[in-house]
Amino acid sequence: MNNTHSTHKNQPLLLLIDLQKAIDHPDWGERNNLDAEENIATLLAHWRNNDLPIIHIKHTSVEPDSHYRPHQEGHDFKAVAQPETHEEVIEKHTNSAFINTPLEQILRARNIEDVVIIGVITNNSVEATARMSGNLGFNTTVVSDATFTFGKKDYSGKWHDAQQIHDISLSNMAGEYAQIMSTKELLSSMD
Amino acid sequence: MNNTHSTHKNQPLLLLIDLQKAIDHPDWGERNNLDAEENIATLLAHWRNNDLPIIHIKHTSVEPDSHYRPHQEGHDFKAVAQPETHEEVIEKHTNSAFINTPLEQILRARNIEDVVIIGVITNNSVEATARMSGNLGFNTTVVSDATFTFGKKDYSGKWHDAQQIHDISLSNMAGEYAQIMSTKELLSSMD
């Protein structure tokens, strides 16, 4: 291809979802996977050291009460996921990173087949993006310990804790849309 | 609009997902919402009696072991959701009814703003379709008692029953992607 953005075929792309300071706001309540940041840092370092493709998704909310609204600190990237100058950042305004963004077009242009998804939150933007990634035909992996979520009440008022919501979200994706791997399993498979 | 397919603005569209005989196969295990078929019949009759738009999504699996593969009985519509001759049927090959189908284009051409989703299964094709519908900007409703699902083990081996998976799936959608209403609530709101 005569495309300056093209990379070698079959290079897995690391897609970081919504890793902004907003997610550290105490409003969210108790989260699971407290070591997610450590795993995110490990994966990002591996991708950078091996010169593999990376795209950062930045959520810019249009909801006036969202911690992800622009022009305030919550919109900034978390330190652990701060993009380097040459790394691509794609802004999104809804949950899935594929809706109203150039993400699919960029992946196709670069011959990306394998997409590795990390970030937040498991059952919302991560799951929405992973479901679309799988359905669009990308070989999609979600890293189980490099994403996290929060407990919440369901519509009938029953409480579900963060780990339970996380586990069911990963089970929704597993097999149908994505493969689920830990950071350690993923890195071993790439050796 | 000079489009023979256009309907009046703001007519809610009923989208029936994957209501084929395949879903009655005993392989799936124990389901929840045993009265879903009754509610589906009620909703379909209401839409037909009021001459409101209806689209049937028919899943045609490319998986050789799927009960939804073509050219066998499981691929046929369930009696309760049998399309009438003039009603549109859209075939899909993956989970979301919006991927590689003309669904979005048809909804835009007909000025459809409100999409009401029923069918199977809650946490798979219904949720994948509802997430995309909401993210694409359609005012989306999922009818809680006109969809159902099955229990399953999560990736760590822990069992979650059908009602729990159903409830968490609806909670994933609620507020973010869709509003959740019962058949009774929905019909009351349309009076």
Side-chain angles (χ1 to χ4, degrees):
Chain A
M1 281 179 65
N2 244 342
N3 183 330
T4 54
H5 286 293
S6 67
T7 54
H8 296 298
K9 221 174 163 169
N10 286 330
Q11 280 198 319
L13 176 120
L14 186 66
L15 191 64
L16 297 94
I17 309 284
D18 300 359
L19 284 164
Q20 296 154 252
K21 292 180 180 171
I23 205 63
D24 295 330
H25 198 286
D27 273 3
W28 293 92
E30 198 173 340
R31 63 176 260 200
N32 71 330
N33 273 1
L34 294 181
D35 51 359
E37 281 79 354
E38 187 66 21
N39 294 321
I40 289 163
T42 300
L43 290 164
L44 198 45
H46 181 85
W47 252 257
R48 284 172 175 159
N49 291 339
N50 290 278
D51 201 21
L52 293 170
I54 295 167
I55 293 180
H56 302 262
I57 302 295
K58 187 173 198 177
H59 188 63
T60 299
S61 179
V62 293
E63 305 289 337
D65 295 335
S66 171
H67 300 306
Y68 279 98
R69 69 190 185 280
H71 313 305
Q72 50 87 42
E73 202 190 354
H75 190 242
D76 297 341
F77 282 106
K78 277 165 72 77
V80 73
Q82 185 63 46
E84 293 189 352
T85 318
H86 63 284
E87 289 171 357
E88 187 147 21
V89 176
I90 296 178
E91 215 172 352
K92 72 174 174 64
H93 300 282
T94 187
N95 311 90
S96 168
F98 286 100
I99 300 273
N100 297 327
T101 72
L103 179 58
E104 182 185 359
Q105 188 185 341
I106 289 169
L107 299 185
R108 304 279 186 216
R110 296 186 189 179
N111 294 320
I112 299 290
E113 296 177 2
D114 299 329
V115 175
V116 174
I117 298 178
I118 63 176
V120 291
I121 62 175
T122 322
N123 55 308
N124 197 357
S125 289
V126 168
E127 186 173 342
T129 301
R131 283 178 184 254
M132 282 194 68
S133 180
N135 276 185
L136 287 167
F138 298 105
N139 177 34
T140 303
T141 301
V142 174
V143 186
S144 55
D145 55 5
T147 176
F148 57 91
T149 191
F150 302 92
K152 67 171 176 178
K153 282 187 187 163
D154 67 28
Y155 70 106
S156 71
K158 189 179 164 198
W159 178 259
H160 300 272
D161 71 27
Q163 191 60 42
Q164 189 177 33
I165 289 176
H166 182 85
D167 289 346
I168 289 183
S169 175
L170 294 180
S171 293
N172 282 341
M173 299 184 249
E176 288 285 334
Y177 306 83
Q179 56 186 328
I180 311 299
M181 298 175 92
S182 67
T183 298
K184 196 173 164 187
E185 287 167 342
L186 175 65
L187 292 179
S188 298
S189 78
M190 293 174 76
D191 278 346
Chain B
M1 280 179 65
N2 244 342
N3 184 330
T4 54
H5 286 292
S6 68
T7 54
H8 296 298
K9 221 173 164 171
N10 285 330
Q11 281 198 318
L13 176 120
L14 187 65
L15 191 64
L16 297 95
I17 308 284
D18 300 0
L19 284 164
Q20 296 154 253
K21 292 180 181 170
I23 206 62
D24 295 330
H25 198 286
D27 272 4
W28 293 93
E30 199 172 340
R31 62 175 262 199
N32 72 329
N33 274 1
L34 294 181
D35 51 0
E37 281 79 355
E38 187 65 22
N39 293 321
I40 289 163
T42 300
L43 290 164
L44 198 45
H46 181 84
W47 252 258
R48 284 171 175 160
N49 290 339
N50 290 278
D51 201 22
L52 294 170
I54 296 168
I55 293 180
H56 301 262
I57 302 294
K58 187 172 199 177
H59 188 63
T60 299
S61 179
V62 293
E63 306 288 337
D65 295 335
S66 171
H67 300 305
Y68 278 99
R69 69 190 185 280
H71 313 303
Q72 50 86 44
E73 203 190 353
H75 191 241
D76 296 343
F77 282 106
K78 276 165 73 77
V80 74
Q82 187 63 46
E84 294 190 351
T85 319
H86 63 284
E87 290 171 357
E88 186 148 22
V89 175
I90 297 178
E91 214 173 352
K92 71 174 175 67
H93 299 283
T94 187
N95 311 89
S96 169
F98 286 100
I99 300 273
N100 296 328
T101 72
L103 179 58
E104 182 185 359
Q105 189 185 341
I106 288 169
L107 298 186
R108 304 277 186 217
R110 295 187 188 177
N111 294 320
I112 299 291
E113 296 177 2
D114 299 328
V115 176
V116 174
I117 298 177
I118 63 177
V120 292
I121 62 174
T122 322
N123 55 309
N124 198 355
S125 290
V126 168
E127 185 173 344
T129 302
R131 284 178 183 254
M132 281 193 69
S133 181
N135 276 186
L136 288 167
F138 298 104
N139 177 33
T140 304
T141 301
V142 174
V143 186
S144 55
D145 55 5
T147 176
F148 58 89
T149 191
F150 302 91
K152 67 171 175 177
K153 282 187 187 163
D154 67 29
Y155 69 106
S156 71
K158 188 179 164 198
W159 178 260
H160 301 271
D161 70 26
Q163 191 60 41
Q164 188 176 35
I165 289 174
H166 182 85
D167 289 345
I168 289 182
S169 175
L170 294 180
S171 293
N172 281 341
M173 298 184 249
E176 288 284 334
Y177 306 84
Q179 56 187 328
I180 310 301
M181 298 175 93
S182 68
T183 298
K184 197 174 163 186
E185 286 167 341
L186 176 64
L187 292 179
S188 299
S189 78
M190 293 174 75
D191 278 345

